[in-house]
Amino acid sequence: MTRLERISVEQGQSLWLDNLSRPQLRDGTFARLVAAGIRGVTANPTIIARAIESSDAYDEQFESLLSAGCTVEEAYWELVISDVVRALELLRPTFDQSHRGDGFVSIEVAPRWAHDTDATIVAARALHERIREPNLLVKIPATDEGVRAIEVMIGEGRSINVTLVFSLRRYGNVLDAYLSGLEALARRGGDLSTVQSVASFFVSRVDTEVDRRLDATGGQAALRLRGRAAIAQAKLAYQLFQKAHSNARWERLAHQGARVQRPLWASTSTKNPSWPDTLYVDSLIGPDTVNTLPEVTLHAFVDHGTVARTIDTGVEDALALMGALSTVGIDMDDVGHTLEEQGIAAFDASVAHVLGTLRARSRASRTTLASPRPGRPSRHASESGPSTAGA
């Protein structure tokens, strides 16, 4: 077996791809990764914007959507949904063979709604209604407002990927929202077994921010703690996950068919070149977890990653590290809040940028169509004639 297959069979962890692009969907790259053992796919507004802006694979559909009367923003969402639907088709066999345990594709609500509970609910509900596939996860950010929306969506029986989780306090909120949502669904007589959820706990970005603060603090005590916070915090998050899914509250829900909300390790590429390139994979392997990997990290793991249970080793050391960080003035809740706001701002900027790019393409397209070419009449001059009937 490959390492991708072994980590699932031997360790109970699913590896998902953190990328989604139309060229890979078309040329067979994505299908080959699924055949090799990738069990799901995630993306975010930045990944999607990069895909659209860097490829002409979207141009034909974009032009068709504009011709049909779509606004640029409406066309953008149609481009995104088309890729998601195709990925859902390719992963449906994984979903079925795993008895609804894997084979998921995520699509994120617009980041501008991150601090608006009602708007998030409307947007998430609309995506679920538009893409009626059981292996769809709608992404909702774990802001205060987002957590309230997550509880409502779970209570409606909708499957959710909770994204942008950066701190243990916030993760505790997310776990409670999931359980409360399931309890609400049970009171309504809903089928708990159909609800799927993951909580995307971001990793490498935590080290980046904590190390920045440690460098600013200075001193040997602070500098010795660099590069250790993210893995330690993730290990403690797994302890919270186990605790939330091993008590009487959970047992009542499990008896009604509820599935655990798996922790998903996100942001797992190594940002510091002096660290191992599979650091955030090798260190966080354990049952009932997901790790979503960008392609560079995925290929590195396939080549030389370690397949062994590591998620619950060194827990006491992780607790001690959190105490040491506090001693030198690092507030992990504040780190989490800072990264949450940075993440939302970055995703919002990505959407704004790709919409700007698409608007520029739209203007260029209209200019080209309106300008007569040598030896040919303009579209305007001939649009009423039979030669344009299929345009």
Side-chain angles (χ1 to χ4, degrees), residues 13 231 234-235 265 278-286 291 306 308-313:
Q13 183 177 74
I231 290 172
K235 287 177 180 287
W265 314 125
T278 59
L279 176 66
Y280 299 115
V281 188
D282 294 345
S283 304
L284 299 174
I285 297 173
N291 198 318
T306 301
R309 180 165 176 159
T310 52
I311 188 59
D312 41 18
T313 60

Side-chain angles (χ1 to χ4, degrees), residues 164-170 206 209-210 213 233 331-343:
L164 295 178
V165 183
F166 292 101
S167 71
L168 295 173
R169 182 184 67 82
R170 183 68 83 199
V206 171
E209 176 62 19
V210 169
R213 297 185 184 202
Q233 185 173 238
D331 182 339
M332 293 302 291
D333 285 339
D334 186 67
V335 167
H337 178 74
T338 297
L339 290 172
E340 178 184 291
E341 291 303 305
Q342 288 177 356

Side-chain angles (χ1 to χ4, degrees), residues 25-39:
L25 291 169
R26 285 182 173 178
D27 67 14
T29 298
F30 184 78
R32 287 191 292 273
L33 288 170
V34 172
I38 282 295
R39 301 178 64 79

